[in-house]
Amino acid sequence: MTDADATSPSPDPLATASRDIAEVPAVEIISTAALHLMSAAAVNLGLAADLPDHKDLDEARSLIDSLAGLLDAAAPALGHHHAAPLRDGLRSLQLAFREASSIPDEPGQGPGEKYTGAVFPSATHR
């Protein structure tokens, strides 16, 4: 090790993290946040293979509401290619919530439905 190495400042971890995140496209950050919300909602709906008996519908409602708001706000930036599968996942979670709830919400009052409109099982629309 030279004297120059000993006196040079070590890289600032926050500056390194900022540079790293600056290189990540917004669509990737938004999609990652949406996937985290989806995963957490699924766990709280009892859909996790390793926690099938865990259900917390209050938590699931908050997560689904947040996911719906995020997708509603971010859809123009995401474009159809990225937004469509996330919307499908959201709809699946909304339907799973309706199925898991012993006291059904009125149409349009379920989690996230203020952003998506009322969600009904496909069989009722045939």
Side-chain angles (χ1 to χ4, degrees):
M1 180 148 98
T2 67
D3 288 339
D5 291 335
T7 60
S8 64
S10 61
D12 178 10
L14 291 178
T16 302
S18 294
R19 273 193 302 277
D20 290 346
I21 210 155
E23 295 175 9
V24 180
V27 67
E28 201 169 312
I29 293 172
I30 294 166
S31 296
T32 299
L35 290 174
H36 283 291
L37 290 168
M38 291 173 87
S39 297
V43 167
N44 282 294
L45 288 170
L47 301 175
D50 56 338
L51 290 171
D53 296 326
H54 175 79
K55 281 192 183 167
D56 188 334
L57 296 184
D58 287 337
E59 288 290 307
R61 179 183 294 276
S62 295
L63 293 160
I64 294 169
D65 275 336
S66 298
L67 174 62
L70 173 64
L71 294 181
D72 184 54
L78 291 175
H80 179 74
H81 178 73
H82 293 284
L86 295 172
R87 283 189 182 128
D88 289 346
L90 169 61
R91 184 176 188 284
S92 295
L93 291 169
Q94 289 171 310
L95 290 171
F97 185 93
R98 284 201 173 275
E99 188 175 301
S101 182
S102 59
I103 304 171
D105 292 313
E106 291 294 322
Q109 300 302 308
E113 291 182 359
K114 68 181 173 186
Y115 300 105
T116 64
V119 174
F120 301 99
S122 296
T124 63
H125 284 289
R126 289 182 195 207

